[in-house]
Amino acid sequence: MASIELVLPTYFAIRVAVGFNRWGVVADVTYITLVAFLMWQNSPLYLLSLPFYLAVVAIGGVFRNYAGLASALSISGVYLMFQQPTYLKGLGFLFAILAPAALVATVRDRGSLEGFFRYLVVSTFASSFLFIGLGQRSTAMGEAFILMAVALELGVAPMFLWVPDVYGRTHPAGLAILASLPKLSATFALLAIRPETPAVLFYALGALSMAVGNLGALTSVEPRRILAYSTVTHTGFAIFIYPIAPEVTLALVLADAFGKMGLFYALNTGTYRWTTRILVLHQIGLPPLFGFWPKAALVILVAEKMGTVYALYVLANIVAMAPYYFRLMEVITEGRDVFPAAVGIIIAAIGVTAPLWFIYHVSSLL
């Protein structure tokens, strides 16, 4: 803890001194690297920090120069959640999920402002649930409140209604951040705090989320709502596997964070056709892209630990994503923006060079 007490104020002072320009980006990237080193000190685990690096340049509009600061504060929150004192876990959760939220209103249109305030209400409830749960740890009620806090932030059914509501009205430029960093941070909270609730509750919430998310996406037309409901499906996968393999939960949300960041950015600016195909196939989970490996581990582990029927249910929900993602692929316009292309290259590189060993190394967090 002593390291972050020194590093965070130093970073903030440097950030204020250099201003919001290219030197500010250098300060942001340097700080994110330092925090990643303090957390993991193991090079393969730096891959978990990649969405925070990407977020530095994943935003446009009036707040583009603040994206790095928001990303730096968010990863600081992740670091704090893994500390022992209870109050630091709660403070870290606030930092991690709320710091990127201000970027939702990046273009200042009415829909984005409405989405921003709706998300703040949701995050306020989630944070309140977490603090209530942390204050009553080791009791059934306390553990349930912790799970509710994380589930609400992730958009797990039946607490998912805010996701299509907020995503459906917010500009894609802001959703590139909202659909990635807070979701990944909430998953880190799940691993750092570890609510001790019955496994059957995770299975029920996960199974319901898969079905609801796919049904909503299959019946939606607007691209942002399709991606919103697909987020519910992906969080369903992540919650379902948590009692069996928490490291696979993290890998599933990490893969979805990459995909959503690239797809929402592409919805805003357009991108190369090959990039769109990579992002879509990654989200569906086709090899050798990164999205394939955690989904493969999900199906294999469920079959091994729970039986064929449950594995077939999970597999059916993975297959059900294909129609609406292929439909989405036709909607994204062609352009020449390099950011989605960079995300696509990262997804392909991780998938080809680091399949199952990545999940193995993530388990060292636990």
Side-chain angles (χ1 to χ4, degrees):
M1 180 58 193
S3 299
I4 200 72
E5 286 178 337
L6 175 64
V7 172
L8 180 56
T10 302
Y11 157 72
F12 196 73
I14 293 173
R15 195 64 166 80
V16 171
V18 301
F20 295 92
N21 50 40
R22 67 182 64 181
W23 291 109
V25 173
V26 172
D28 298 332
V29 171
T30 303
Y31 176 76
I32 291 170
T33 303
L34 285 173
V35 174
F37 175 77
L38 290 174
M39 279 195 290
W40 296 307
Q41 300 184 20
N42 186 346
S43 56
L45 292 179
Y46 288 143
L47 290 170
L48 298 173
S49 303
L50 276 177
F52 296 94
Y53 285 107
L54 289 170
V56 174
V57 291
I59 202 77
V62 294
F63 292 138
R64 64 182 181 276
N65 293 323
Y66 294 81
L69 176 62
S71 182
L73 292 177
S74 186
I75 199 171
S76 298
V78 172
Y79 178 86
L80 292 174
M81 286 190 292
F82 280 93
Q83 305 308 305
Q84 284 298 116
T86 300
Y87 74 94
L88 288 179
K89 293 182 182 295
L91 180 63
F93 187 77
L94 286 174
F95 268 40
I97 67 171
L98 288 178
L103 305 177
V104 171
T106 180
V107 294
R108 292 184 178 176
D109 62 285
R110 178 174 177 176
S112 295
L113 290 173
E114 290 177 352
F116 168 63
F117 285 109
R118 281 170 165 77
Y119 179 73
L120 283 185
V121 171
V122 170
S123 295
T124 299
F125 275 106
S127 301
S128 301
F129 291 160
L130 183 75
F131 279 106
I132 292 171
L134 290 174
Q136 302 182 49
R137 290 234 66 172
S138 302
T139 68
M141 183 65 71
E143 301 300 323
F145 267 107
I146 293 173
L147 177 57
M148 285 173 59
V150 176
L152 179 59
E153 186 62 36
L154 285 174
V156 173
M159 294 174 285
F160 73 97
L161 292 176
W162 72 268
V163 180
D165 180 41
V166 172
Y167 286 23
R169 68 180 69 243
T170 304
H171 195 278
L175 292 173
I177 295 294
L178 183 66
S180 53
L181 291 194
K183 295 289 182 293
L184 184 58
S185 298
T187 308
F188 278 121
L190 190 64
L191 300 178
I193 302 173
R194 307 294 289 270
E196 298 177 2
T197 50
V200 66
L201 186 56
F202 288 95
Y203 298 143
L205 292 174
L208 179 62
S209 297
M210 294 179 216
V212 169
N214 273 330
L215 181 61
L218 287 167
T219 56
S220 295
V221 176
E222 212 281 321
R224 289 173 297 179
R225 293 182 68 85
I226 291 173
L227 288 174
Y229 279 110
S230 76
T231 297
V232 178
T233 302
H234 277 96
T235 55
F237 296 143
I239 289 292
F240 191 85
I241 196 63
Y242 176 78
I244 299 172
E247 64 271 26
V248 179
T249 294
L250 181 56
L252 283 162
V253 177
L254 178 66
D256 188 50
F258 278 124
K260 291 296 166 50
M261 188 179 287
L263 285 170
F264 275 120
Y265 201 99
L267 278 176
N268 181 41
T269 63
T271 189
Y272 303 97
R273 296 305 300 171
W274 63 265
T275 301
T276 302
R277 293 188 182 96
I278 288 177
L279 293 172
V280 165
L281 295 178
H282 159 80
Q283 288 296 96
I284 295 171
L286 293 182
L289 300 172
F290 176 43
F292 167 75
W293 301 107
K295 286 186 175 68
L298 166 68
V299 175
I300 292 169
L301 288 171
V302 170
E304 179 184 345
K305 302 293 185 180
M306 301 180 66
T308 305
V309 173
Y310 294 97
L312 288 174
Y313 176 78
V314 172
L315 183 59
N317 278 281
I318 293 174
V319 173
M321 294 190 299
Y324 57 79
Y325 269 117
F326 283 131
R327 191 152 39 94
L328 184 69
M329 186 166 59
E330 301 303 319
V331 173
I332 297 176
T333 59
E334 188 169 0
R336 297 187 178 275
D337 199 286
V338 298
F339 179 81
V343 176
I345 291 170
I346 289 172
I347 287 169
I350 295 176
V352 170
T353 63
L356 294 177
W357 66 262
F358 177 69
I359 297 174
Y360 170 78
H361 282 289
V362 169
S363 65
S364 64
L365 272 175
L366 308 175

